[in-house]
Amino acid sequence: MKKRLFTRAACDPDTLGALLAARLTLAEARAIALVARGAVQVGGRRASDASAAVALGAHLTVFLDEEPADALALTIVYRDPWLLVVDKPAGMLSQPSRGESSTALDERVRAQFADARMMHRLDRDASGLVLFALSIDARAPLQAALEAGEIDRRYLAVVSGRLEGEGRIALRIGRDAKDERRRIAHPESSAAGQPATSRFRTLRHGPSSTVVELELETGRTHQLRVHLAAIGHPILGDRLYGGPPAARLCLHAERLALTHPQSRRPIIVTSPPPGELGADDPP
């Protein structure tokens, strides 16, 4: 049995289940199960409701079973002496934050590959493909390719409402002065923020949602989340940008395509979408 102690910070989710999932890098279903079995205390008292709000500054104690050795195993989908592509699960940080360095994807990769350098990141609650340079000589050409838009990064998402056809979203993205976690969309003609462009293509519709394929032309923080919310179709599970409730953020990096920096041959890597994003009839 392992005990974790932490305090709810301003940047944390406010409900208990979401807070546990974020701070412990767990699927929200597992976080809810921890509460149900009495393994969570808030302010020294056993918690029983995963949907309850947690006060800012509240002290939490969580009793965790020891994870099996393979729980920290990386899902490697492509590797050669120059490149590594890892399939990140939802709920895992891409890069370390205060107090959570050992569980971040970047740290786990570098524990096995000392020279690895993460070339781009995914939000904690998104899943899918993340590219690393394994060779020091690969870093500069990969960075140049990313900046030039020569690495094709495609995503799958489930968004609120009925989004039709395909299109291009060109809205600048800047920081929210009122909330350091958030970003804000600005008109393309605005001087605020940075230029950002995304493309979408509708794949299928559900009763109240749409599955879309997304493509990044730029790579701003929270870009797809901000762009989709700005056009009235936030991603399911995206509490920060007004998305309807869901078991997780329904955003998955499903495809990477690039030219190998040494051999110059094309590399295409894919990751099947998780069940909640791949269903024929989305929520």
Side-chain angles (χ1 to χ4, degrees):
M1 185 73 70
K2 180 169 58 176
K3 183 166 72 172
R4 289 286 303 273
L5 305 171
F6 54 90
T7 300
R8 194 209 148 195
C11 60
D12 287 323
D14 57 0
T15 60
L16 180 57
L19 171 60
L20 294 172
R23 292 294 291 268
L24 300 175
T25 319
L26 301 174
E28 193 157 341
R30 187 178 171 206
I32 292 170
L34 283 172
V35 177
R37 75 167 192 250
V40 181
Q41 296 177 358
V42 179
R45 295 186 177 184
R46 180 176 294 179
S48 59
D49 183 2
S51 65
V54 179
L56 187 65
H59 298 290
L60 287 85
T61 305
V62 185
F63 297 92
L64 295 166
D65 295 329
E66 293 293 340
E67 293 184 326
D70 62 357
L72 298 182
L74 299 171
T75 302
I76 296 173
V77 294
Y78 179 87
R79 177 188 169 192
D80 68 28
W82 282 62
L83 307 178
L84 176 74
V85 181
V86 178
D87 202 344
K88 185 188 86 67
M92 179 187 290
L93 283 167
S94 288
Q95 294 176 308
S97 70
R98 212 170 39 245
E100 294 183 84
S101 61
S102 64
T103 60
L105 179 65
D106 192 31
E107 292 295 307
R108 294 184 183 186
V109 168
R110 289 196 289 119
Q112 295 187 32
F113 307 97
D115 291 330
R117 171 74 62 83
M118 181 180 284
M119 301 309 303
H120 64 98
R121 60 180 295 278
L122 292 179
D123 294 337
R124 179 204 286 264
D125 294 324
S127 58
L129 301 172
V130 181
L131 174 65
F132 290 80
L134 284 188
S135 164
I136 293 174
D137 293 334
R139 295 177 185 177
L142 288 176
Q143 185 63 44
L146 279 168
E147 293 173 357
E150 295 170 355
I151 295 182
D152 182 11
R153 291 180 284 166
R154 298 196 187 183
Y155 298 75
L156 197 68
V158 185
V159 303
S160 176
R162 190 174 183 89
L163 183 58
E164 300 284 0
E166 57 185 71
R168 179 175 179 269
I169 307 170
L171 295 171
R172 298 174 70 89
I173 293 178
R175 292 182 178 274
D176 185 341
K178 298 178 181 178
D179 187 340
E180 63 180 11
R181 299 173 301 165
R182 287 174 47 89
R183 299 295 187 270
I184 295 177
H186 300 279
E188 191 174 14
S189 59
S190 171
Q194 296 176 298
T197 306
S198 309
R199 295 184 180 274
F200 70 86
R201 181 171 67 91
T202 296
L203 299 181
R204 57 187 181 275
H205 295 102
S208 58
S209 61
T210 305
V211 178
V212 293
E213 181 184 67
L214 303 163
E215 184 176 355
L216 288 173
E217 291 188 11
T218 54
R220 309 302 179 197
T221 298
H222 295 180
Q223 178 174 317
L224 295 173
R225 299 166 64 184
V226 173
H227 274 175
L228 288 162
I231 65 170
H233 297 279
I235 299 173
L236 269 61
D238 193 350
R239 301 180 192 85
L240 193 58
Y241 294 104
R248 54 158 291 187
L249 176 69
C250 292
L251 178 65
H252 178 71
E254 65 168 348
R255 184 178 187 271
L256 274 174
L258 65 150
T259 299
H260 194 283
Q262 184 218 19
S263 68
R264 308 308 298 168
R265 63 186 176 91
I267 302 292
I268 300 176
V269 184
T270 60
S271 168
E276 59 268 34
L277 278 76
D280 289 335
D281 187 17

